[in-house]
């Protein structure tokens, strides 16, 4: 599905879809609803998507494409108000750097927010993290950024965990959220992967 919206459009997504959104500077509303499961195909590391309101209703999910040895894909949103309802999920597990890649890449446990099990280096910003998790023997976690000028409400989940298994786990990814007001009782995880050597955890920051 390829969508083109004008500056004040209201966009609602239903069903299971692959999404390419052409207008990145809209001031309208964007809603994922009715159990939709979305793979956002042009969510690149350098592209900022702007909406007045961003809403994920219950039982919906959102992800992007897998990265490689390079940081190609991540989510970058700017809104006035954002709501991720109970039962909704942003799932970027295992969507970071591929095996052995990234600044902290190591087959003996990748690093990111912390060192990997056998020396994968830590890296990235403590206060404004936007970096992917590095790969161990398995994949690292992805990266999510959201700026809400008013309220960010999270009752669902945002997961940027690394994959488990092999000799060394991947490293967890990044979640960076800026908002005037935070609300909700949801969960955010950026766990390193398990293995003979564990991967380092990722980075989570609220401003």
């Amino acid at each position: 599905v390829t969508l083109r919206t004008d500056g004040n459009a209201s966009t609602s997504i239903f069903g299971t879809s692959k999404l390419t959104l052409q207008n990145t500077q809209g001031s309208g509303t964007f809603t994922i609803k009715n159990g939709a499961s979305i793979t956002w195909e042009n969510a690149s590391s350098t592209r900022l998507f702007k909406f007045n309101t961003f809403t994920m209703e219950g039982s919906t999910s959102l992800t992007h494409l897998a990265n490689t040895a390079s940081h190609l894909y991540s989510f970058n949103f700017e809104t006035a108000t954002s709501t991720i309802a109970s039962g909704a999920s942003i799932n970027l597990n295992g969507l970071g750097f591929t095996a052995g890649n990234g600044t902290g890449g190591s087959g003996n446990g990748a690093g990111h927010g912390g060192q990997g099990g056998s020396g994968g280096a830590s890296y990235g910003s403590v206060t404004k993290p936007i970096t992917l998790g590095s790969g161990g023997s398995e994949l690292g976690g992805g990266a999510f950024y959201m700026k809400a000028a008013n309220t960010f409400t999270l009752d669902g989940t945002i997961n940027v965990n690394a994959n488990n298994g092999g000799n060394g786990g991947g490293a967890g990814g990044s979640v960076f959220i800026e908002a005037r007001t935070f609300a909700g009782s949801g969960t955010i995880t950026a766990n390193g992967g398990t293995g003979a050597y564990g991967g380092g955890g990722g980075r989570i920051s609220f401003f």
Side-chain angles (χ1 to χ4, degrees):
V1 177
T2 299
L3 297 178
R4 298 176 184 272
T5 65
D6 65 36
N8 296 304
S10 295
T11 303
S12 295
I13 308 295
F14 304 82
T16 300
S17 304
K18 294 181 178 180
L19 172 66
T20 300
L21 190 64
Q22 298 295 348
N23 181 10
T24 63
Q25 303 299 312
S27 59
T29 64
F30 182 85
T31 306
I32 303 174
K33 59 195 306 180
N34 288 14
S37 179
I38 305 299
T39 300
W40 199 314
E41 293 195 320
N42 67 330
S44 78
S45 60
T46 59
R47 196 163 196 172
L48 178 66
F49 293 94
K50 293 184 178 182
F51 308 102
N52 184 48
T53 63
F54 175 96
T55 303
M56 293 180 64
E57 296 185 354
S59 300
T60 61
S61 65
L62 180 63
T63 190
H64 59 59
L65 299 178
N67 282 284
T68 62
S70 300
H71 186 167
L72 303 174
Y73 305 106
S74 55
F75 281 131
N76 299 285
F77 296 116
E78 187 173 303
T79 69
T81 302
S82 299
T83 302
I84 301 171
S86 177
S89 65
I90 295 173
N91 181 6
L92 306 183
N93 293 338
L95 294 181
F97 288 113
T98 49
N101 291 304
T103 301
S106 171
N108 292 326
H112 184 197
Q115 287 189 346
S118 187
S122 62
Y123 61 94
S125 173
V126 173
T127 56
K128 299 180 179 181
I130 56 171
T131 41
L132 299 175
S134 290
S137 299
E138 297 292 334
L139 306 173
F144 178 85
Y145 168 70
M146 172 75 78
K147 180 178 181 178
N150 297 314
T151 302
F152 175 84
T153 302
L154 176 66
D155 286 308
T157 60
I158 302 174
N159 300 313
V160 295
N161 303 318
N163 284 0
N164 300 321
N167 190 61
S174 295
V175 177
F176 175 32
I177 298 170
E178 295 184 275
R180 178 174 296 175
T181 303
F182 294 97
S185 57
T187 60
I188 298 174
T189 59
N191 299 326
T194 61
Y197 298 94
R203 296 187 181 275
I204 299 171
S205 178
F206 296 90
F207 257 52

